[in-house]
Amino acid sequence: MSGFSPELIDYLEGTISFEEFEKRREERLANEKQDSLETSADAAECNTDDASIPSTSGKGRTKRHNIDDDDDDEETPDGVSKSIHRAFASMIGEDEDDEDEEEEEEQDGEGEGNPEQPSVGDVFALEMEIDRENKKMMREKRPRSKLPRALRGLMGEANIRFARGEKEEAIIMCMEIIRQAPLAYEPFSTLAMIYEDQGDMEKSLQFELIAAHLNPSDTEEWVRLAEMSLEQDNIKQAIFCYSKAIKYNPTNVRYLWERSSLYEQVGDHKMAMDGYRRILNLLSPADGERFMQLARDMAKSYYETNDVASAIGIIEEAVSKHQNLVSIEDVNIAAELYISNKQYDKALEIITQFSGITLKKTENETTENTADTETVTCHVPDGVPIDITIKMMLCLIHLNILEPVNPMLTTLMEQNPEEMGDLYLDVAEAFLEVGEYNSALPLLSALVCSEKYNLAVVWLRHADCLKALGHMEKAAESYSKVVEMAPLHLDARISLSTLEQQLGHPEKALEALEPMYDPDTLAQDANAAQQELKLLLHRSTLLFSQGRMYDYVDTLLTMLAMLLKIAMNRAQVCLISSSKSGERHLYLIKVSRDKISDNDEQDTTNCDAKAVFAVLTSVLTKDDWWTLLLKAIYALCDLSRYKEGELLVDSSLEYYCFYDDRQKRKELEYFGLSAAILDKNFRKAYNYIRLMLMENVSKPQLWNIFNQVTMHSQDVRHHRFCLRLMLKNPENLALCVLSGHNAFVSGSFKHALAQYVQAFRMKPDDPLHNLCIGLTFIHMASQKFVLKRHALLVQGFSFLNRYLNLRGPCQEAYYNLGRALHQMGLTHFAIHYYQKALEFPPLQLKGIQMTLATATLQITSRVSLPLLTPTGCCQGRGFC
């Protein structure tokens, strides 16, 4: 037996107040005294022997009872009552009688040789008893308080101060206890009660939560905290508290139910359903009604969130466990779920099993001319709800069992469509799905003529049915009605446009595909952009088939502007509507930087554009957008709108999806170069061809284009470019010739001669190199101040004669030689070669393979001596 009385233990643990402790102590002492009088002499003698033990002696406590009553209200100089001192003395193993006797010795000088002084053996026995109690407490599974014994008295004093209304002192004591024992929950609980009494519910809840975390196994405390959290509208905290309570009491249905309801309030459907499913597993077979009701609610909730498989699993479990409790409502729910999941055989099975509807198959008698056939009959008892009957019809229609459907269909047609319109529509849609359009048409015609169900969706089904039956004009009228009632219905617009095109009404077909949204809506609403894009795709195809190219380009530019919105802003390109051609169309223009929106607005626009882009790429793939871009560039060039083609290429190069693809980027650069040349924007074309040559310096076609661009641009900035490139590629033949041409045009004949000679060494049998060297000598000899003019003329005409031999007798060679003689004043020789040139008819070449020589010949026309170049070179009209 423990050395502490029960009331002392309760008081030190803080479960009772000090006044209740004194009351229970007096009652216990009185009962012990009464028992001692009624016991036998042997028992009284045993009690006398045990009186020397302080912690278990009833007599010793009775002796000093009167003294305690007088001294309980007195306080020591440090402000703590003597009763608290006795409690602490009891906790550390000291005898209360010893403490009183010490006080009497100090006051009266008495007490020496007190017969009740505990002996060494008594103290040892008391310590053994305390040790046994501690070991017993350690063996207990329930969590013990982490409040040290030395602080329990102070905890009790704090509770007393709170009871007396001395809240500030109680708070100070609790804070001191928390400082010394931060893991004990009792001071936090007391502080929560103090702040609750003061009306500070928020702080009270905070301390209660701390106390609950330090003593987590108290489920009732967690539930109370959850209710307090709900009072403060903190649903997530209430869910947490209920989760803690469920952790230590997982079979409590009420806790699970409350938490699942809270999950539903915050929109966490999955966790709510998981909680309800745990409740189903905890319900006993006797709770069949609760099981069925909960299963119905869960099935409806799953169905509302489109989780049909889970809804079917719940309802199947309910039907299998409690077949005797299945109601018509359960049958209706199960059939609805099976039909929505296209499990028509299972829906038919559950309807015939629980609703009373019977389905029988009878075999017809066979004859010699007929095969075996089966007749299916269906009997619907009176009192079966019309919903169940309609679901039976739906199952039979989808299972292609149409014989028993006709009587039920007649019964349905007798019903008022204003009241049963939804059932009409369900049956009609079932007929449409299996291809029974003749059976569906009367139902849909009745619905479109009603007032309540004269809706766009009904007209759409009516139009689909008429179209399937071949009534095109009536179907077009129905589709027009759908578009009128629901102008944003994309499928109806496309179907109407297709029908009008088939009926020979192209204008009406285009009218049906008019844009549905304004540009601001398209820039912000991703779904609207998706619908508009699909519409524009059909519209572009229709316009191209009708040959309306300007409108076709407008549609293409609108679609590309949706994709390239951010890229167009970076390229400073804008899409505007103008009537400069007589009709209003869309055009691409270049705008200044100050007309672009501010950064804040631009960031918002970019975010919206990214969301729209994610939707647009789901409609068309990257390759589809690329094909659309090429169509737009080709169409703009066909309409001679080369400037807009340039701007479209610039915008596309700013679009990372195309720019990151090396092949597409190179192709866009070639498109930009072509558009710039056709637009006669040679300065921009030079920027394109310059970059291309730096990557492919050995490609003759690029040098041909470079030559054409520099010829028409009349800009000499390419001279330095060629020189820098020549230093890196000294063995490049085209660079040698072009550098010679540049030096020749600049009047640096010696430099030109050096470049021509280098090219001549690389390819001595090329007529062009001999011609260029000869002309250079002729021009050097034509200068006013020159030494050794005769030697220069001899060398010049030597290379010209070599050029004539290599080129062969032709109009071009004779003319060039005659022109050189003419320049030197040898007119009689020049006339001879001019006459020979005139004897040859002009060459009529259908096409020759472009070479570097013919590509660079055109540059020589810049010198003062006009030269005849062979036909067949590009001469600025295109690519070779």
Side-chain angles (χ1 to χ4, degrees):
M1 180 177 178
S2 174
F4 298 94
S5 61
E7 62 273 14
L8 180 58
I9 295 175
D10 293 339
Y11 166 70
L12 294 177
E13 291 181 350
T15 58
I16 62 175
S17 64
F18 188 78
E19 290 78 9
E20 188 176 358
F21 160 75
E22 290 292 346
K23 182 179 178 181
R24 289 172 56 181
R25 181 184 175 207
E26 292 174 1
E27 291 177 357
R28 182 178 60 81
L29 293 176
N31 292 333
E32 288 179 356
K33 183 177 180 180
Q34 184 67 24
D35 293 336
S36 63
L37 295 175
E38 296 176 358
T39 53
S40 61
D42 294 336
E45 187 176 4
C46 292
N47 287 336
T48 304
D49 296 336
D50 293 338
S52 60
I53 300 177
S55 62
T56 57
S57 173
K59 185 181 288 186
R61 293 182 182 271
T62 304
K63 281 182 182 180
R64 46 179 256 278
H65 179 63
N66 295 331
I67 301 174
D68 292 339
D69 291 340
D70 296 335
D71 297 336
D72 281 342
D73 296 334
E74 297 180 4
E75 293 183 350
T76 59
D78 56 358
V80 182
S81 63
K82 292 184 177 181
S83 59
I84 298 301
H85 277 288
R86 285 195 293 273
F88 275 100
S90 175
M91 285 190 295
I92 62 176
E94 296 178 1
D95 191 7
E96 295 179 359
D97 293 337
D98 294 344
E99 183 182 352
D100 292 340
E101 288 172 1
E102 290 177 0
E103 293 178 357
E104 292 175 359
E105 287 177 358
E106 293 175 359
Q107 297 175 4
D108 302 332
E110 299 177 359
E112 295 181 0
N114 192 336
E116 294 185 0
Q117 181 75 20
S119 63
V120 176
D122 295 335
V123 174
F124 179 74
L126 178 60
E127 290 178 354
M128 293 295 293
E129 183 68 21
I130 293 174
D131 184 62
R132 285 193 296 272
E133 181 183 357
N134 289 335
K135 290 182 179 180
K136 181 179 179 182
M137 291 169 60
M138 293 176 63
R139 287 195 299 268
E140 292 180 354
K141 293 183 179 179
R142 69 181 184 88
R144 302 291 296 176
S145 173
K146 295 182 180 179
L147 184 65
R149 291 181 179 271
L151 295 177
R152 292 184 182 179
L154 185 58
M155 187 71 248
E157 181 66 16
N159 291 329
I160 293 172
R161 294 297 177 92
F162 170 53
R164 291 177 179 175
E166 301 173 2
K167 299 175 183 178
E168 296 299 329
E169 291 78 0
I171 292 174
I172 294 174
M173 291 182 180
C174 290
M175 289 300 180
E176 178 63 21
I177 295 173
I178 292 172
R179 186 185 68 82
Q180 299 187 39
L183 298 181
Y185 70 90
E186 290 89 344
F188 293 102
S189 181
T190 301
L191 287 173
M193 290 187 292
I194 293 173
Y195 284 113
E196 183 179 2
D197 188 65
Q198 292 179 352
D200 193 348
M201 301 305 298
E202 183 177 356
K203 188 171 289 188
S204 174
L205 179 59
Q206 292 175 358
F207 280 108
E208 285 283 7
L209 287 171
I210 297 174
H213 277 286
L214 295 175
N215 186 26
S217 60
D218 190 352
T219 57
E220 293 297 331
E221 181 66 16
W222 284 115
V223 173
R224 193 174 71 86
L225 290 173
E227 295 172 353
M228 292 177 64
S229 300
L230 289 177
E231 292 176 359
Q232 299 182 10
D233 294 331
N234 195 341
I235 299 179
K236 291 186 178 180
Q237 185 169 285
I239 291 174
F240 175 79
C241 294
Y242 275 120
S243 299
K244 284 291 187 178
I246 292 170
K247 178 180 179 181
Y248 295 98
N249 192 0
T251 61
N252 193 306
V253 174
R254 184 174 71 88
Y255 300 163
L256 289 169
W257 186 274
E258 293 293 340
R259 188 181 67 170
S260 298
S261 300
L262 294 177
Y263 273 128
E264 284 187 326
Q265 292 184 27
V266 298
D268 194 342
H269 180 264
K270 182 180 181 302
M271 295 301 297
M273 292 298 105
D274 290 343
Y276 288 137
R277 191 177 291 274
R278 288 179 63 180
I279 294 174
L280 288 179
N281 295 332
L282 292 174
L283 291 177
S284 63
D287 293 331
E289 290 293 341
R290 293 181 62 187
F291 191 98
M292 294 299 294
Q293 185 60 43
L294 182 57
R296 293 187 202 107
D297 296 339
M298 291 180 64
K300 293 177 183 178
S301 182
Y302 275 127
Y303 184 70
E304 291 174 356
T305 56
N306 296 324
D307 192 356
V308 181
S310 300
I312 290 175
I314 288 294
I315 207 69
E316 285 181 346
E317 182 181 357
V319 171
S320 62
K321 287 185 177 181
H322 303 281
Q323 292 189 3
N324 56 333
L325 298 177
V326 176
S327 62
I328 289 296
E329 182 183 1
D330 300 325
V331 176
N332 191 23
I333 294 173
E336 179 72 23
L337 294 173
Y338 282 130
I339 291 173
S340 63
N341 205 35
K342 301 186 182 301
Q343 295 177 301
Y344 305 108
D345 51 349
K346 291 187 177 181
L348 188 65
E349 180 182 353
I350 197 167
I351 290 173
T352 55
Q353 183 178 359
F354 295 102
S355 66
I357 299 177
T358 57
L359 194 66
K360 295 182 180 179
K361 295 181 180 180
T362 58
E363 294 185 0
N364 296 331
E365 295 181 359
T366 60
T367 61
E368 295 180 357
N369 298 327
T370 60
D372 296 342
T373 58
E374 291 183 347
T375 302
V376 181
T377 58
C378 182
H379 174 67
V380 181
D382 296 336
V384 176
I386 187 66
D387 293 345
I388 302 297
T389 305
I390 296 302
K391 287 181 173 57
M392 184 73 180
M393 289 179 62
L394 298 178
C395 295
L396 294 174
I397 292 171
H398 284 96
L399 294 174
N400 203 21
I401 306 174
L402 302 178
E403 294 90 353
V405 173
N406 294 327
M408 291 186 286
L409 181 60
T410 304
T411 305
L412 176 62
M413 293 292 293
E414 294 174 356
Q415 303 292 328
N416 186 3
E418 298 289 348
E419 299 177 357
M420 302 294 176
D422 55 341
L423 303 181
Y424 271 66
L425 185 59
D426 290 341
V427 177
E429 289 179 341
F431 278 126
L432 290 176
E433 289 182 13
V434 299
E436 294 291 332
Y437 302 106
N438 289 318
S439 301
L441 186 58
L443 295 170
L444 295 172
S445 299
L447 288 176
V448 296
C449 294
S450 65
E451 295 182 0
K452 185 177 179 181
Y453 289 94
N454 184 17
L455 304 174
V457 63
V458 180
W459 278 105
L460 182 61
R461 298 291 182 268
H462 187 253
D464 292 339
C465 188
L466 289 172
K467 181 180 177 181
L469 292 174
H471 306 311
M472 298 301 180
E473 294 184 358
K474 293 183 178 179
E477 294 177 0
S478 296
Y479 280 123
S480 300
K481 192 71 175 178
V482 177
V483 174
E484 179 184 349
M485 300 176 70
L488 301 181
H489 199 292
L490 177 63
D491 294 336
R493 283 175 170 268
I494 294 175
S495 299
L496 176 60
S497 177
T498 304
L499 280 180
E500 294 291 358
Q501 185 74 7
Q502 293 177 0
L503 293 173
H505 305 148
E507 294 297 331
K508 291 184 178 180
L510 287 175
E511 184 180 353
L513 296 178
E514 287 293 330
M516 298 185 295
Y517 301 95
D518 57 275
D520 294 336
T521 304
L522 295 177
Q524 298 174 2
D525 191 346
N527 292 328
Q530 182 182 20
Q531 297 294 319
E532 189 75 9
L533 178 60
K534 294 179 180 178
L535 180 70
L536 291 173
L537 283 172
H538 287 84
R539 181 176 175 82
S540 64
T541 303
L542 187 59
L543 287 169
F544 185 77
S545 65
Q546 296 180 7
R548 302 177 60 171
M549 295 305 296
Y550 274 92
D551 294 326
Y552 172 65
V553 170
D554 291 347
T555 306
L556 294 179
L557 292 180
T558 302
M559 288 188 285
L560 289 172
M562 295 166 62
L563 179 72
L564 304 175
K565 184 175 181 62
I566 301 176
M568 290 174 67
N569 286 334
R570 287 198 293 263
Q572 302 179 35
V573 177
C574 183
L575 183 65
I576 64 168
S577 176
S578 176
S579 56
K580 60 182 180 181
S581 61
E583 297 180 358
R584 183 161 291 276
H585 293 290
L586 297 177
Y587 297 93
L588 290 170
I589 63 171
K590 187 79 171 180
V591 295
S592 59
R593 176 63 64 183
D594 55 354
K595 292 185 179 181
I596 303 296
S597 57
D598 297 336
N599 291 334
D600 296 337
E601 297 179 0
Q602 188 68 28
D603 293 339
T604 304
T605 303
N606 291 349
C607 294
D608 295 336
K610 289 178 181 179
V612 172
F613 166 75
V615 176
L616 295 180
T617 51
S618 65
V619 179
L620 292 177
T621 63
K622 178 181 176 181
D623 293 335
D624 294 334
W625 280 110
W626 175 252
T627 304
L628 203 65
L629 176 63
L630 297 185
K631 290 180 179 179
I633 295 175
Y634 291 146
L636 288 172
C637 292
D638 291 339
L639 296 175
S640 300
R641 295 163 61 176
Y642 306 119
K643 181 65 176 179
E644 295 178 65
E646 293 179 53
L647 297 178
L648 184 57
V649 170
D650 293 342
S651 301
S652 301
L653 287 173
E654 292 290 342
Y655 181 53
Y656 72 93
C657 194
F658 293 153
Y659 186 83
D660 291 343
D661 191 327
R662 181 178 176 83
Q663 182 178 357
K664 287 183 173 58
R665 183 173 75 250
K666 290 300 178 184
E667 194 166 351
L668 280 175
E669 290 175 353
Y670 281 115
F671 278 121
L673 174 62
S674 302
I677 293 176
L678 293 173
D679 190 40
K680 302 186 184 307
N681 188 355
F682 297 105
R683 188 175 186 85
K684 189 172 184 178
Y686 173 77
N687 294 331
Y688 278 116
I689 192 62
R690 178 174 174 273
L691 295 175
M692 295 177 185
L693 282 172
M694 292 174 67
E695 294 182 1
N696 300 283
V697 71
S698 61
K699 186 174 289 188
Q701 292 88 344
L702 295 180
W703 285 112
N704 180 31
I705 300 172
F706 179 81
N707 188 33
Q708 296 294 325
V709 170
T710 54
M711 280 176 56
H712 291 89
S713 65
Q714 299 299 321
D715 195 349
V716 297
R717 57 177 176 163
H718 67 283
H719 291 180
R720 292 184 179 180
F721 168 72
C722 291
L723 289 175
R724 288 193 299 269
L725 205 61
M726 185 68 186
L727 294 176
K728 298 180 181 179
N729 303 276
E731 302 299 326
N732 187 278
L733 181 61
L735 269 173
C736 287
V737 176
L738 283 177
S739 296
H741 290 341
N742 294 333
F744 191 93
V745 172
S746 302
S748 301
F749 298 118
K750 292 183 179 180
H751 182 203
L753 183 62
Q755 296 295 331
Y756 290 147
V757 170
Q758 183 179 356
F760 175 78
R761 289 173 179 173
M762 294 181 191
K763 204 170 184 181
D765 295 332
D766 194 318
L768 175 65
H769 303 159
N770 292 271
L771 174 63
C772 292
I773 294 174
L775 289 176
T776 305
F777 279 119
I778 295 297
H779 278 73
M780 292 173 67
S782 300
Q783 290 179 325
K784 185 175 181 180
F785 302 102
V786 62
L787 297 177
K788 301 180 180 180
R789 190 186 306 273
H790 178 72
L792 293 174
L793 287 174
V794 172
Q795 294 181 75
F797 282 108
S798 297
F799 277 99
L800 289 177
N801 285 323
R802 180 179 172 81
Y803 156 72
L804 178 62
N805 294 331
L806 293 173
R807 185 66 176 155
C810 63
Q811 191 181 67
E812 173 219 331
Y814 284 125
Y815 172 78
N816 286 333
L817 189 57
R819 187 65 185 84
L821 292 168
H822 189 183
Q823 180 175 340
M824 297 306 301
L826 302 175
T827 54
H828 57 290
F829 290 115
I831 292 173
H832 173 72
Y833 285 105
Y834 284 153
Q835 290 176 346
K836 283 184 173 292
L838 291 175
E839 292 175 359
F840 285 91
L843 292 177
Q844 300 292 335
L845 300 180
K846 295 181 180 180
I848 61 174
Q849 184 179 1
M850 174 55 68
T851 63
L852 182 61
T854 57
T856 54
L857 269 176
Q858 191 70 18
I859 197 68
T860 60
S861 63
R862 296 184 183 180
V863 300
S864 59
L865 180 64
L867 297 175
L868 177 65
T869 57
T871 60
C873 70
C874 61
Q875 296 189 5
R877 292 191 296 271
F879 298 104
C880 297

